[in-house]
Amino acid sequence: MGRRERNRELTRARLLAAALDLMGTKGPDGTGIAEITEQADVGFGTFYSYFESKDAILAAALEDVAEQLAATISSATSSIEDPAAAVAALARHLVTWAGENPSSGRFLVEVGLARDAVRRHLGVLLARQCDRGVQSGRFDARSADTAKSVVGGAVRATIAAWLDGHLHADPGPALAAQILLSLGLPSEEAWQLAEAPLPPLTTPSTSQRTTP
Amino acid sequence: MGRRERNRELTRARLLAAALDLMGTKGPDGTGIAEITEQADVGFGTFYSYFESKDAILAAALEDVAEQLAATISSATSSIEDPAAAVAALARHLVTWAGENPSSGRFLVEVGLARDAVRRHLGVLLARQCDRGVQSGRFDARSADTAKSVVGGAVRATIAAWLDGHLHADPGPALAAQILLSLGLPSEEAWQLAEAPLPPLTTPSTSQRTTP
């Protein structure tokens, strides 16, 4: 990548980071393009050589956040054989990430809801483990059809409540336990899995960045 | 109420119904004031003698839908003594209502999410039964703090999936069962309560309307 391309990438990333931060705090409707360019420290007109509209940068920012988060969490959970342990780890990692990245978290759960990018990247991770659990008999098959919406909805709403200060402590373990219970696991096992040490996130591969 | 007031009420109701229908279908961003007045069959300028802005009619429509729905469902479930049976009935009535009123349902779950009116009217109904269940020992107290977000999020996401055609049949009973399981009820009892005949909605009292 030449210097010109590197600079373009950098400016684009600065615009995306600014959009995400502002929209996560004030919502897309409350955020103007001028604020985004100001926070990114680029000229107002520059915006339009990267994005067609506010909607376009919103979509690109969602795609970025959802894709990166899914890649990170997926690499930490895809090798877990037990779908129950995998669902618990996914839910807890999502909560932890949102707590550590509140403006991105708010952006995902409030703006990203029902957006295609979030479904494709994050919804799919949860859905895959739910399907595995039902197919293997680990989860109650009577709930197979609604299981995915219940799990996804519970995660989203709990992150929103956590970021809004409605919960007293890290809700990750209790959320994971309730999800496993809802999927038919016995109480003792559900709580044991939900409160087990969380497998750490590995730093995602940086090979793409270092490729010349 | 004189004729003049009755006419004003009627026009306001027509504007609200049109806003709700259009915003439920195309979202608030995709709906213009001119479309609302056209569908309500009133002049464009008339809008502003009822509402200050699109945001104002959006807030009023949400308040109306959430309040009426909460009153109807509350009257059918508030006399149920067992909080588990009450939570199951609430969840199933919300799903049934959304299936029968898809544009209002979509409006509530997509636009109304995290809005104060929806929390105050509908969130409170679910939260109250969750609190009762935890206090009486009917629900698992370890989950008390996250229980409300899990239940609310599960209902919302399941209604959204149902309206989007992602579920094959009425998800009400399976949703109710998963909610009860997540709150710690044993499987057999959760499914029994979730699949029991649903107490019918009583028509809400019309005494307010007939008062002269």
Side-chain angles (χ1 to χ4, degrees):
Chain A
M1 201 190 275
R3 187 198 293 183
R4 192 190 165 84
E5 283 74 29
R6 278 204 306 276
N7 279 341
R8 256 193 89 79
E9 277 297 302
L10 209 67
T11 305
R12 188 174 181 278
R14 286 222 308 269
L15 285 166
L16 281 172
L20 195 151
D21 184 44
L22 289 162
M23 289 175 169
T25 313
K26 314 200 287 177
D29 291 345
T31 302
I33 289 176
E35 285 173 286
I36 296 173
T37 52
E38 192 175 325
Q39 178 156 330
D41 200 20
V42 304
F44 180 78
T46 307
F47 180 90
Y48 292 98
S49 78
Y50 292 86
F51 301 101
E52 260 181 27
S53 61
K54 201 167 77 176
D55 230 44
I57 196 171
L58 169 65
L62 268 176
E63 185 78 30
D64 258 32
V65 177
E67 188 179 359
Q68 283 177 27
L69 176 60
T72 309
I73 295 189
S74 168
S75 75
T77 56
S78 60
S79 59
I80 301 176
E81 208 168 312
D82 174 14
V87 166
L90 276 171
R92 289 173 63 193
H93 273 309
L94 285 168
V95 169
T96 302
W97 170 84
E100 287 168 359
N101 302 275
S103 73
S104 303
R106 201 176 297 280
F107 183 68
L108 264 197
V109 296
E110 283 179 11
V111 181
L113 171 86
R115 296 278 183 144
D116 197 41
V118 177
R119 279 207 184 134
R120 256 184 300 119
H121 295 297
L122 293 169
V124 155
L125 286 186
L126 284 166
R128 195 180 299 146
Q129 299 296 345
C130 289
D131 285 338
R132 280 183 61 216
V134 169
Q135 277 153 22
S136 66
R138 181 82 165 119
F139 299 153
D140 187 336
R142 279 176 297 184
S143 59
D145 201 28
T146 57
K148 288 168 260 186
S149 64
V150 167
V151 171
V155 171
R156 195 213 62 77
T158 302
I159 289 176
W162 174 230
L163 294 178
D164 285 350
H166 294 312
L167 303 174
H168 300 107
D170 174 8
L175 168 66
Q178 286 189 272
I179 287 173
L180 295 179
L181 288 169
S182 84
L183 294 167
L185 261 74
S187 174
E188 200 182 333
E189 196 181 359
W191 282 95
Q192 207 165 35
L193 281 169
E195 289 173 334
L198 188 59
L201 293 183
T202 47
T203 315
S205 157
T206 53
S207 61
Q208 279 186 307
R209 281 194 218 151
T210 53
T211 303
Chain B
M1 202 190 274
R3 186 199 294 182
R4 192 189 164 85
E5 282 76 30
R6 276 203 308 276
N7 280 340
R8 257 193 87 80
E9 275 297 301
L10 210 68
T11 305
R12 187 173 180 279
R14 286 224 306 270
L15 284 166
L16 282 172
L20 195 151
D21 184 43
L22 289 162
M23 290 175 169
T25 313
K26 313 200 285 177
D29 291 346
T31 302
I33 288 175
E35 285 173 286
I36 296 173
T37 52
E38 192 176 323
Q39 178 155 330
D41 199 20
V42 304
F44 180 78
T46 307
F47 179 90
Y48 293 97
S49 77
Y50 292 85
F51 300 100
E52 261 182 27
S53 61
K54 202 167 76 174
D55 230 45
I57 196 170
L58 169 65
L62 268 176
E63 184 78 30
D64 258 33
V65 176
E67 187 179 3
Q68 283 176 27
L69 177 59
T72 309
I73 294 188
S74 168
S75 75
T77 56
S78 60
S79 59
I80 300 176
E81 209 168 311
D82 175 14
V87 165
L90 276 171
R92 289 174 63 193
H93 273 309
L94 285 168
V95 169
T96 302
W97 171 84
E100 286 168 0
N101 302 275
S103 72
S104 302
R106 199 176 298 278
F107 182 68
L108 266 196
V109 295
E110 284 178 10
V111 182
L113 170 86
R115 296 279 184 145
D116 196 43
V118 176
R119 279 208 182 134
R120 255 185 300 119
H121 294 298
L122 293 169
V124 156
L125 286 186
L126 284 166
R128 196 180 299 145
Q129 299 297 344
C130 288
D131 285 336
R132 280 183 61 218
V134 169
Q135 278 153 23
S136 67
R138 181 83 165 118
F139 299 153
D140 187 337
R142 280 176 295 184
S143 58
D145 201 30
T146 56
K148 288 168 262 187
S149 64
V150 167
V151 171
V155 170
R156 197 214 61 77
T158 302
I159 289 176
W162 174 229
L163 294 178
D164 284 350
H166 294 311
L167 302 174
H168 299 108
D170 174 7
L175 168 66
Q178 286 189 270
I179 286 174
L180 295 179
L181 288 169
S182 83
L183 294 167
L185 261 73
S187 175
E188 199 181 335
E189 197 182 359
W191 281 95
Q192 206 165 36
L193 281 169
E195 288 173 333
L198 187 60
L201 293 182
T202 47
T203 314
S205 157
T206 52
S207 62
Q208 279 186 306
R209 282 194 217 152
T210 54
T211 304

